[in-house]
Amino acid sequence: MSRPAFVLVRPQMGENIGAAARAMLNFGLDRMRVVGPRDGWPNERAVALASGAGRVLDAAMVTETTAEAVADAQWVLATTARDRDLTKPIYTPEAAMTEARDRIAAGQRVAVLFGPERAGLENDDIATANAIVSVPTNPDFASLNLAQCVLLTGYEWRRVTTGAAGAETRMAGTDWANAAEIAALGDHFEERLGQAGFFFPEAKAPAMKRHLRNLWSRMPLTRADVQTFHGMMRQMVRWKERG
Amino acid sequence: MSRPAFVLVRPQMGENIGAAARAMLNFGLDRMRVVGPRDGWPNERAVALASGAGRVLDAAMVTETTAEAVADAQWVLATTARDRDLTKPIYTPEAAMTEARDRIAAGQRVAVLFGPERAGLENDDIATANAIVSVPTNPDFASLNLAQCVLLTGYEWRRVTTGAAGAETRMAGTDWANAAEIAALGDHFEERLGQAGFFFPEAKAPAMKRHLRNLWSRMPLTRADVQTFHGMMRQMVRWKERG
């Protein structure tokens, strides 16, 4: 069975990258991606701390942006500690890894984003995700670090994939849009709506754009759906240009 | 509801004791017991690393022997990394915390033993236990440390005691669009796209319209999403009308 990719977004301490690699391999996960590591790549501290899980680091894909790191994925999860005011489904690790298992069994690719140690994921990272994963911690004391978050998510992956319950396949044969296609759709609409004066007033434009990105990424869009939306927008532009 | 006691047996590094306290409190557990800590008690490094979970250390019971630490418990679990050749039931963390929950609900006291960092529990410690807990790690790479083992066990405690709600997908404060709103959105787009010449050729128009209606109704749209789509379309029309 294929496995989800774990994406470390702008990790800071090499120690934590190494610990995350170990935590992944503990549960049989080896597809790490790293976005903009603060101290460059390869990272000596990460290698030292990964002891035995160095091959996870060796095989890691390193990218500059979160969008590149998840471009091939049809389902992208963002792990966050606190609830954010986003209209996106929030999953427990259990529910998230259960759905990840089912989607992977149906041929999809899944990526899970983990934020930097101190600050967590930024809103723009979260905008690339289809859903949120939040570990149900004690509301009065929630201090999970990066490697712990990776550990618990990896644990749930292994638990739900080795469990007795078989993987169901839902909507088999559906060709889901991947993150790159969703991003391109977002680009297209953002550009044309921008020309049309949609993002007004100026001061609100960034929030409006993020809202739209979140909207697209939250929709369960097939490739055909994406083409339909492109087609609608192209036609509106043609109509305008006919005057 | 009462909670299990987590018993650290002969812990070595203060750092790990502090990290274990944090991991416990993350999942609402605060009954720590410490057997024969190598560096005495209280432990400064433990306090420093517990940041915020210091009260777990303050309240910890410290004993010389494992037997004393579990004397009041009716059900004692021993966590071990590797399978031992013991005629004792072996539980996953999930099964162990499920049974712990049920026993505690029935008025019993439960204790979970965690071994020292390097060597793990000795056979004499395990002899005091009624059952074994073993985290199902990758057989080719199992490197869980003390705090990680505490973290995963605590996570399972909270998961099985907070119940089925954990498996649900929740969307905070979401106001889902109703069918009439979806239909009105479909009408709006159909009318404007029709004016724009989207439904071409004529013979294909009915199927294209049906496809669009299906697309809208399949999306999990909130009321705000519906307004966003209305707004996009209105703006495209304004743009066109400005010429």
Side-chain angles (χ1 to χ4, degrees):
Chain A
M1 188 179 196
S2 194
R3 292 176 289 279
F6 276 19
V7 184
L8 311 189
V9 179
R10 295 180 301 278
Q12 301 174 334
M13 309 278 287
E15 285 81 346
N16 295 329
I17 301 170
R22 283 211 318 280
M24 286 176 63
L25 199 54
N26 270 320
F27 297 111
L29 293 165
D30 51 8
R31 298 181 57 224
M32 177 184 276
R33 296 175 182 182
V34 186
V35 178
R38 186 189 64 183
D39 300 336
W41 200 264
N43 180 312
E44 272 183 30
R45 291 294 296 157
V47 172
L49 266 284
S51 60
R55 67 178 178 85
V56 174
L57 299 178
D58 296 341
M61 171 202 282
V62 182
T63 68
E64 280 189 28
T65 67
T66 302
E68 290 169 82
V70 302
D72 67 329
Q74 282 102 347
W75 203 48
V76 179
L77 294 160
T79 56
T80 70
R82 49 194 179 283
D83 280 354
R84 312 227 189 177
D85 187 20
L86 284 171
T87 320
K88 234 168 226 192
I90 301 176
Y91 286 71
T92 60
E94 175 182 19
M97 290 302 101
T98 301
E99 182 156 342
R101 174 198 69 195
D102 296 346
R103 285 175 179 266
I104 287 171
Q108 293 192 32
R109 279 179 297 274
V110 172
V112 187
L113 303 176
F114 296 88
E117 290 89 340
R118 193 155 309 208
L121 292 170
E122 289 178 9
N123 287 336
D124 284 344
D125 302 314
I126 294 177
T128 67
N130 303 105
I132 304 288
V133 187
S134 185
V135 178
T137 45
N138 176 0
D140 299 327
F141 188 82
S143 73
L144 295 180
N145 65 30
L146 171 60
Q148 287 175 319
C149 197
V150 168
L151 184 82
L152 290 170
T153 309
Y155 167 81
E156 279 291 3
W157 168 259
R158 194 167 183 93
R159 196 176 67 80
V160 303
T161 52
T162 55
E168 56 172 299
T169 47
R170 311 180 302 133
M171 282 184 82
T174 305
D175 205 5
W176 296 103
N178 64 30
E181 290 159 338
I182 301 288
L185 178 64
D187 291 344
H188 182 189
F189 268 65
E190 193 171 295
E191 186 194 340
R192 293 307 196 180
L193 289 167
Q195 293 171 348
F198 183 70
F199 301 109
F200 183 86
E202 192 85 40
K204 278 192 159 181
M208 290 174 79
K209 288 177 183 177
R210 201 159 49 233
H211 172 76
L212 266 195
R213 296 284 171 169
N214 274 316
L215 197 166
W216 293 124
S217 64
R218 185 160 45 75
M219 297 294 128
L221 294 167
T222 64
R223 290 202 156 141
D225 295 336
V226 168
Q227 286 316 314
T228 299
F229 277 115
H230 279 301
M232 288 190 224
M233 181 48 91
R234 276 194 296 265
Q235 190 63 36
M236 294 308 292
V237 172
R238 267 186 228 114
W239 188 39
K240 182 243 175 352
E241 285 172 351
R242 280 203 308 270
Chain B
M1 189 180 195
S2 193
R3 292 176 289 279
F6 276 18
V7 184
L8 311 190
V9 179
R10 295 180 301 282
Q12 301 176 333
M13 308 278 286
E15 285 82 345
N16 295 329
I17 301 170
R22 282 211 319 280
M24 286 176 63
L25 199 54
N26 270 320
F27 297 111
L29 294 165
D30 52 9
R31 300 182 55 224
M32 178 185 274
R33 295 175 182 182
V34 187
V35 178
R38 186 189 64 183
D39 300 335
W41 200 263
N43 181 313
E44 273 183 31
R45 288 295 296 158
V47 172
L49 265 285
S51 59
R55 68 179 179 84
V56 174
L57 300 178
D58 296 342
M61 170 200 285
V62 182
T63 68
E64 280 188 27
T65 67
T66 302
E68 290 169 82
V70 301
D72 68 330
Q74 283 102 345
W75 202 48
V76 179
L77 293 160
T79 56
T80 70
R82 49 195 177 282
D83 281 352
R84 310 223 189 181
D85 188 20
L86 287 168
T87 322
K88 238 168 222 190
I90 300 177
Y91 287 70
T92 60
E94 176 182 18
M97 290 301 101
T98 301
E99 183 158 340
R101 175 197 66 196
D102 296 345
R103 286 175 178 266
I104 286 170
Q108 292 192 28
R109 279 180 295 277
V110 172
V112 187
L113 304 175
F114 296 88
E117 291 87 339
R118 193 155 310 209
L121 292 168
E122 289 178 8
N123 287 337
D124 284 346
D125 303 313
I126 294 176
T128 68
N130 302 104
I132 305 289
V133 188
S134 186
V135 179
T137 45
N138 176 1
D140 299 327
F141 188 81
S143 71
L144 295 180
N145 64 31
L146 171 59
Q148 287 175 318
C149 198
V150 168
L151 184 82
L152 290 171
T153 311
Y155 167 81
E156 278 291 3
W157 167 259
R158 192 164 183 94
R159 196 176 68 81
V160 302
T161 52
T162 52
E168 279 171 35
T169 301
R170 62 207 165 88
M171 276 175 75
T174 304
D175 204 6
W176 294 106
N178 64 28
E181 289 159 337
I182 300 289
L185 178 64
D187 291 345
H188 182 189
F189 268 64
E190 193 172 295
E191 186 195 338
R192 293 307 196 180
L193 287 169
Q195 293 171 348
F198 184 69
F199 301 110
F200 182 86
E202 193 83 41
K204 278 192 160 179
M208 289 172 81
K209 288 177 183 176
R210 201 161 48 237
H211 172 75
L212 264 195
R213 295 284 172 169
N214 274 317
L215 195 166
W216 293 124
S217 63
R218 185 160 46 73
M219 297 295 126
L221 294 168
T222 65
R223 287 199 159 144
D225 295 337
V226 168
Q227 288 315 315
T228 300
F229 276 115
H230 279 301
M232 287 191 225
M233 180 49 89
R234 276 194 295 267
Q235 191 63 36
M236 294 308 291
V237 171
R238 265 184 229 119
W239 190 37
K240 182 241 173 356
E241 286 171 353
R242 282 201 307 269

